[in-house]
Amino acid sequence: MEQLPANDQIWNRRLIHMLWWILLIYEVAAMLGFFFEIYKQPNKWFSSFMQYQVIPTCSQLSLMAAGYATIRLLKPYSDFILIVWTMTAASIYILCIPELRISYELISLPILLSSVYFQKKHIWFAYILGSCYLIALIICQAAQGHATTPYQIIVPFTVITVTTIVCFTIMDKGLHLINQLQSSVVREQDLLIRNVMIDRLSKVDALTELFNHRSFQEHTDHLISHMPYDTPLVLALMDIDNFKKINDTYGHWVGDVVLKTIGCTLKDVLGNDDMAFRYGGEEFAVLFVGKTQQEVMVLCEQLMQIIRETEIPEMAGQQLTMSLGLAPYNRNTMKKAWFQLVDECLYIAKRNGKNRIHSHLSE
């Protein structure tokens, strides 16, 4: 099973903050105990102050300083340094506080903390280190004349061993959930990509890479419903002149070249606010948004001229032309009537000799 990257600096900072909070909580508790001790045994306040306040605090502060310095010098090993740090902090409390003299189970806490790295080697390191610290603490207690029963040795070893097993179980479960989450994210990303591709295929013409007739209807409805009232909207319909003759003379594949060429020309000439569509067959539609009638006519003339000057190598000597009809949108007119008006303008341009623009603007 895949493990998470080691040397997690974010968790290390949080663990250091936790150690400071533990020290602060201990100081508050020790101070309260010190006041009770003064009240009960006023003559022994100094020894109590040294035993519960000064010695543990100075030891922990020294450990903090040593921990910061070691992490700065050996930053790649900061995970293991923090495990040693927390294990030593727990041992200091066990040695300095008589009430915790045989509370060796506290050593299991650093083992639990090692599981946050989700690395087996960290848990094994904490377990081996905890066993060594436990043996050292038992030896220290014996050297101070404190008797230790076999029960007091077996129980802590059992606790840290069980704690280690629990850590491995938690880590395996966590990694399993992480792998499931990663697999779920990958599946969702694949599904999103497929949906985007399907949506694109349903809205974009594969040959010209322009939006198709369905997109034209949707975009037109959206503009009519949402654009500001005073924003001008002009529709242009254009049709390739003699396209059937081109297909019959040069072949349908040349007709495809012509369609693709005109699609590229439309994308190059039109502005960012305008949108071109392959309306159907050899017909194209353009929606001009926010442009005056004069600006639309200039753009259409420019487009027609570029198409006239376009040379198709497969149609040597044959000029490519288009007929174009256009009309502005009137909010007092139904969309269907507007389309019919533009279509009529295109029909007039065809009837009057093709290769020209007929605009309802000029009528």
Side-chain angles (χ1 to χ4, degrees):
M1 184 177 291
E2 182 183 359
Q3 299 187 35
L4 296 181
N7 198 20
D8 191 336
Q9 299 301 324
I10 296 177
W11 273 111
N12 289 344
R13 285 194 294 269
R14 291 182 179 178
L15 288 177
I16 292 174
H17 292 161
M18 182 199 69
L19 291 174
W20 279 110
W21 276 107
I22 291 175
L23 180 59
L24 177 63
I25 292 171
Y26 170 78
E27 290 299 320
V28 173
M31 188 63 69
L32 291 174
F34 173 67
F35 287 140
F36 280 112
E37 191 70 20
I38 291 178
Y39 178 77
K40 292 174 63 177
Q41 298 179 350
N43 297 329
K44 296 183 178 180
W45 71 269
F46 183 75
S47 61
S48 298
F49 181 70
M50 292 296 295
Q51 182 178 19
Y52 290 98
Q53 203 80 35
V54 176
I55 296 177
T57 302
C58 290
S59 300
Q60 293 290 355
L61 290 176
S62 300
L63 177 62
M64 291 283 187
Y68 277 114
T70 309
I71 287 177
R72 184 177 293 273
L73 292 174
L74 303 172
K75 194 172 183 179
Y77 305 98
S78 57
D79 297 354
F80 299 100
I81 294 170
L82 265 168
I83 294 173
V84 176
W85 186 342
T86 54
M87 194 75 71
T88 305
S91 301
I92 289 173
Y93 287 125
I94 293 173
L95 288 173
C96 295
I97 303 173
E99 288 79 4
L100 300 178
R101 183 173 58 82
I102 58 173
S103 299
Y104 301 125
E105 295 81 3
L106 287 175
I107 293 177
S108 63
L109 294 178
I111 300 176
L112 277 174
L113 292 176
S114 67
S115 64
V116 301
Y117 298 106
F118 282 88
Q119 292 278 335
K120 290 182 178 180
K121 61 183 178 182
H122 288 67
I123 299 176
W124 277 117
F125 176 78
Y127 175 66
I128 295 171
L129 184 69
S131 300
C132 294
Y133 268 68
L134 178 57
I135 295 171
L137 287 172
I138 293 172
I139 293 173
C140 288
Q141 298 287 11
Q144 294 176 4
H146 300 294
T148 304
T149 65
Y151 177 80
Q152 293 172 337
I153 298 174
I154 294 172
V155 170
F157 268 113
T158 303
V159 170
I160 64 173
T161 302
V162 171
T163 301
T164 302
I165 295 173
V166 170
C167 288
F168 279 122
T169 304
I170 293 173
M171 189 197 74
D172 289 340
K173 180 61 175 178
L175 290 176
H176 179 68
L177 292 174
I178 290 171
N179 289 334
Q180 283 186 324
L181 179 61
Q182 290 174 341
S183 299
S184 176
V185 170
V186 170
R187 287 195 299 271
E188 288 182 3
Q189 289 176 341
D190 291 341
L191 181 61
L192 178 61
I193 292 172
R194 285 197 297 269
N195 288 339
V196 169
M197 293 179 65
I198 292 172
D199 185 66
R200 175 178 171 80
L201 290 174
S202 67
K203 293 184 177 182
V204 176
D205 176 62
L207 179 62
T208 61
E209 296 185 354
L210 298 176
F211 288 104
N212 57 21
H213 187 273
R214 171 188 170 186
S215 298
F216 169 75
Q217 298 293 342
E218 292 177 353
H219 193 68
T220 304
D221 290 338
H222 179 79
L223 286 175
I224 292 175
S225 301
H226 295 90
M227 72 178 187
Y229 183 83
D230 57 347
T231 300
L233 176 64
V234 179
L235 170 62
L237 283 180
M238 49 193 74
D239 184 90
I240 303 173
D241 294 330
N242 305 313
F243 187 71
K244 184 178 182 304
K245 183 179 179 181
I246 293 173
N247 281 333
D248 294 340
T249 305
Y250 302 100
H252 287 83
W253 70 275
V254 176
D256 290 344
V257 172
V258 171
L259 292 170
K260 192 169 185 179
T261 301
I262 292 178
C264 292
T265 303
L266 287 170
K267 286 187 287 187
D268 292 339
V269 174
L270 298 178
N272 295 328
D273 295 331
D274 308 321
M275 186 171 288
F277 307 84
R278 185 180 178 187
Y279 192 74
E282 68 270 24
E283 287 189 339
F284 296 84
V286 178
L287 286 169
F288 296 96
V289 182
K291 287 183 171 57
T292 64
Q293 298 179 7
Q294 183 178 2
E295 289 173 335
V296 171
M297 286 298 297
V298 169
L299 267 175
C300 289
E301 290 287 358
Q302 180 184 355
L303 177 62
M304 295 284 284
Q305 186 60 34
I306 292 174
I307 291 173
R308 293 187 191 105
E309 295 173 356
T310 299
E311 294 184 4
I312 306 296
E314 294 81 2
M315 295 169 49
Q318 177 68 40
Q319 186 184 38
L320 182 64
T321 62
M322 296 188 72
S323 300
L324 190 149
L326 57 88
Y329 175 69
N330 188 332
R331 290 191 178 273
N332 297 321
T333 304
M334 299 292 291
K335 185 182 79 169
K336 183 178 179 180
W338 179 38
F339 287 177
Q340 290 175 343
L341 178 61
V342 178
D343 195 56
E344 178 64 23
C345 290
L346 175 60
Y347 175 75
I348 294 173
K350 286 280 190 182
R351 188 178 59 191
N352 290 342
K354 303 178 183 179
N355 190 21
R356 66 187 66 241
I357 299 174
H358 185 84
S359 170
H360 187 70
L361 308 178
S362 59
E363 294 182 354

